[in-house]
């Protein structure tokens, strides 16, 4: 990123690439934000996702990524959506994994029919990996939050996108409700 580009802080990063792509849209203080509203935002996301060295932040890459983000969003809402399933499979048709033997060890490489489709393909393929544990793919329990996460907690009971944000707000709301109830009793 160049000095003239502003890095926009996002409330939740570090999730698997498919979930992180969904989290490029968020709400803060009742206002909606979309990191992928420009190629500068795409450049930031590619950098945060560790993909900046492999892919270019250009309008074509952005268009493919936005299409897949919308498809992932629909699949998170309804995993059996036949149109979204067909769209995800169409995105996956633009890449493949090639298995190799390299230095006497198994290896693989991912190939795309166009480089601009690479980030979208990787997000779509990542969703397939995450679906090995579909019970761990969740939306934040805060009804005002639009963020998603992949629950990696040991017991699989994570409810909030982050304890520092939505989790603490929920705890504070419960605390204030108990105090109010105690005062009226």
């Amino acid at each position: 990123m160049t000095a003239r580009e502003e890095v926009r802080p996002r409330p939740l990063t570090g999730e698997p690439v498919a979930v992180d792509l969904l989290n490029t849209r968020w709400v803060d203080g009742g206002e909606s934000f979309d990191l992928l509203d420009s190629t500068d935002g795409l450049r930031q996301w590619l950098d945060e996702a560790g993909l900046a060295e492999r892919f270019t932040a250009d309008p074509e890459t952005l268009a493919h990524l936005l299409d897949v983000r919308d498809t992932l969003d629909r699949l998170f809402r309804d995993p059996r959506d036949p149109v979204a399933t067909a769209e995800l499979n169409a995105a996956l048709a633009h890449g493949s994994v090639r298995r190799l033997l390299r230095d006497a060890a198994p290896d693989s490489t991912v190939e795309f029919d166009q480089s601009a489709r690479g980030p979208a393909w990787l997000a779509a393929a990542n969703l397939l990996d995450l679906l090995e544990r579909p019970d761990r793919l969740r939306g934040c329990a805060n009804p005002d939050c639009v963020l998603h996460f992949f629950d990696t907690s040991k017991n699989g009971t994570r409810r909030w996108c982050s304890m520092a944000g939505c989790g603490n707000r929920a705890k504070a709301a419960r605390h204030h409700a108990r105090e109010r109830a105690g005062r009226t009793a």
Side-chain angles (χ1 to χ4, degrees):
M1 290 200 164
T2 64
R4 65 176 171 76
E5 295 169 10
E6 177 186 340
V7 174
R8 292 187 270 176
R10 296 192 297 145
L12 181 62
T13 58
E15 291 293 324
V17 70
V19 178
D20 194 60
L21 177 58
L22 283 174
N23 291 341
T24 57
R25 289 189 283 214
W26 69 95
V27 175
D28 188 14
E31 186 177 352
S32 296
F33 295 90
D34 185 350
L35 182 67
L36 299 181
D37 61 1
S38 68
T39 54
D40 285 344
L42 171 60
R43 190 171 292 110
Q44 178 181 333
W45 184 79
L46 288 171
D47 187 50
E48 291 171 352
L51 301 173
E53 290 186 19
R54 292 175 62 193
F55 303 104
T56 305
D58 59 30
E60 186 179 5
T61 301
L62 181 59
H64 295 305
L65 202 56
L66 290 173
D67 287 345
V68 165
R69 181 179 70 178
D70 290 343
T71 299
L72 293 177
D73 186 52
R74 290 196 325 276
L75 286 169
F76 263 68
R77 293 173 201 273
D78 178 5
R80 298 190 185 281
D81 179 330
V83 174
T85 298
E87 290 172 359
L88 188 78
N89 287 334
L92 289 167
H94 292 282
S96 62
V97 177
R98 194 169 125 222
R99 304 275 308 184
L100 304 166
L101 180 65
R102 189 173 303 185
D103 297 326
D107 196 7
S108 61
T109 185
V110 179
E111 298 173 342
F112 312 104
D113 57 14
Q114 296 175 296
S115 179
R117 292 190 178 274
W121 188 92
L122 291 170
N126 179 241
L127 178 65
L128 299 182
D129 294 337
L130 297 176
L131 287 173
E132 302 264 336
R133 298 291 312 268
D135 58 313
R136 296 293 181 118
L137 284 170
R138 302 205 183 106
C140 182
N142 177 352
D144 297 325
C145 184
V146 298
L147 298 175
H148 298 83
F149 59 89
F150 185 72
D151 184 358
T152 58
S153 68
K154 186 175 182 178
N155 58 5
T157 59
R158 179 177 167 188
R159 298 181 55 211
W160 313 106
C161 62
S162 76
M163 278 309 296
C166 290
N168 278 343
R169 282 191 281 281
K171 283 182 176 181
R174 284 192 306 268
H175 173 74
H176 292 304
R178 281 192 305 270
E179 280 187 345
R180 282 191 302 275
R183 278 184 256 155
T184 59

